[in-house]
Amino acid sequence: MATSTTVEEQARLVESSKRLAAFQAVKDYLLPEYTRIGIGSGSTVVYVVEAIAGLGSAVTSKMAFYPTGSQSEELIEAAGLNLQSISKLPAGQQLDVAFDGADEVDDDLNLIKGGGACLWQEKIVAASAKQFVCVADFRKLSPRLGTAWKKGIPIEVLPMAAPRVLDELLRMGAQKPRIRPGLPGKAGAIVTDNGMWIIDAPFAPLLLPKDIETGSALVTGMWTVDALADALIKIPGVAEIGLFYGKNGLQVASGAQKPVAAYF
Ligand code: ABF
């Protein structure tokens, strides 16, 4: 009895952390003059959309919302917001801001994303925005990626290349990488919105520049975030990886993958 109450209390705490983070992020980063907004996937983004819808149609009717997949498409439509497609965003234009969740966030705001299998479109939307804001609950923050999210880095692959990609991941030191199975009741591998498969590849915790300064990178078999991401994306057959890394939107004009801020 005591255990189940604790589990329920923890669940309530997590939901309240997601909600508070989402409302604060929208308050700080959604300016009324913005017209193009990216909306990510997952359960935390539900609160982002709730916060946006709560601003009222006087504010939101001038805005268009760009989803990262079928789930966020439904979310936007259900809230009565104006749904647009990132494929219709003209070349040379950017979203004003994009909000999305994460599976894990490290001290430098690198992210693991893709637990929900939408990582490719999530990266396109995040990188199309002038500012990308991450919203998550307190369980997602950790000093190094791979510490809190133990299922591995999600990697979107061309199905025919999956066996070769698995070989390469093992060679790079991944521990038991595996093709993600389909949702309960569905045989075979999970198929993404883009017709691809997902491989989850667990690696030892990923180091940050500060670790190299202090010498921890000398530990055998440990990658830095940037080195691993650069190597993974070069494997033939890999379409996209669930590491959002590099520079954030304050440092590059466009194409940033890292958030300018993370809310917990
Ligand atoms: C998306 O949703 C994904 O990149 C990430 O895997 C997941 C986070 O979901 P939740 O908010 O439900 O924890 O952002």
Side-chain angles (χ1 to χ4, degrees):
M1 194 63 175
T3 312
S4 85
T5 310
T6 309
V7 169
E8 282 163 16
E9 274 170 8
Q10 170 77 358
R12 266 202 299 276
L13 209 59
V14 167
E15 286 313 302
S16 125
S17 165
K18 290 178 188 179
R19 195 163 192 278
L20 284 172
F23 275 72
Q24 193 61 48
V26 168
K27 184 166 182 274
D28 292 349
Y29 276 92
L30 187 60
L31 305 188
E33 62 268 28
Y34 286 173
T35 55
R36 294 166 169 153
I37 323 295
I39 299 291
S41 336
S43 61
T44 312
V45 162
V46 172
Y47 296 114
V48 169
V49 173
E50 184 190 327
I52 294 174
L55 298 173
S57 62
V59 176
T60 58
S61 61
K62 296 178 215 122
M63 298 173 170
F65 295 86
Y66 296 76
T68 55
S70 44
Q71 181 229 345
S72 45
E73 230 174 80
E74 285 166 21
L75 209 56
I76 292 167
E77 284 195 308
L81 301 171
N82 173 16
L83 178 69
Q84 262 295 348
S85 164
I86 199 74
S87 64
K88 300 279 174 0
L89 184 68
Q93 302 285 316
Q94 283 180 281
L95 305 180
D96 295 300
V97 64
F99 299 93
D100 202 353
D103 298 307
E104 191 172 8
V105 184
D106 74 14
D107 283 348
D108 282 3
L109 299 193
N110 298 297
L111 310 177
I112 291 181
K113 287 176 57 55
C118 299
L119 61 108
W120 197 358
Q121 293 188 47
E122 286 172 357
K123 195 171 276 191
I124 292 167
V125 170
S128 302
K130 290 178 199 160
Q131 307 170 92
F132 167 37
V133 178
C134 178
V135 188
D137 65 77
F138 59 89
R139 300 168 304 170
K140 309 292 182 70
L141 183 60
S142 81
R144 289 178 194 82
L145 298 182
T147 315
W149 180 258
K150 301 233 179 256
K151 295 180 184 171
I153 298 164
I155 302 174
E156 188 155 356
V157 298
L158 192 66
M160 67 167 281
R164 301 284 73 75
V165 175
L166 284 171
D167 284 346
E168 188 59 17
L169 290 169
L170 285 168
R171 201 191 58 75
M172 290 169 64
Q175 298 135 10
K176 299 191 183 153
R178 62 171 203 146
I179 297 168
R180 192 180 297 178
L183 297 174
K186 290 212 169 177
I190 196 161
V191 179
T192 70
D193 283 346
N194 317 303
M196 303 282 161
W197 287 359
I198 300 283
I199 290 178
D200 292 298
F203 281 87
L206 302 184
L207 302 172
L208 297 174
K210 68 180 178 194
D211 296 316
I212 297 169
E213 283 152 26
T214 59
S216 338
L218 299 176
V219 179
T220 316
M222 290 178 83
W223 290 85
T224 61
V225 177
D226 287 24
L228 180 63
D230 289 347
L232 291 175
I233 199 72
K234 286 183 186 144
I235 301 174
V238 167
E240 191 48 272
I241 60 171
L243 282 173
F244 285 47
Y245 71 111
K247 294 182 173 173
N248 70 30
L250 295 175
Q251 296 160 305
V252 291
S254 63
Q257 306 181 4
K258 260 169 74 165
V260 292
Y263 285 78
F264 300 93

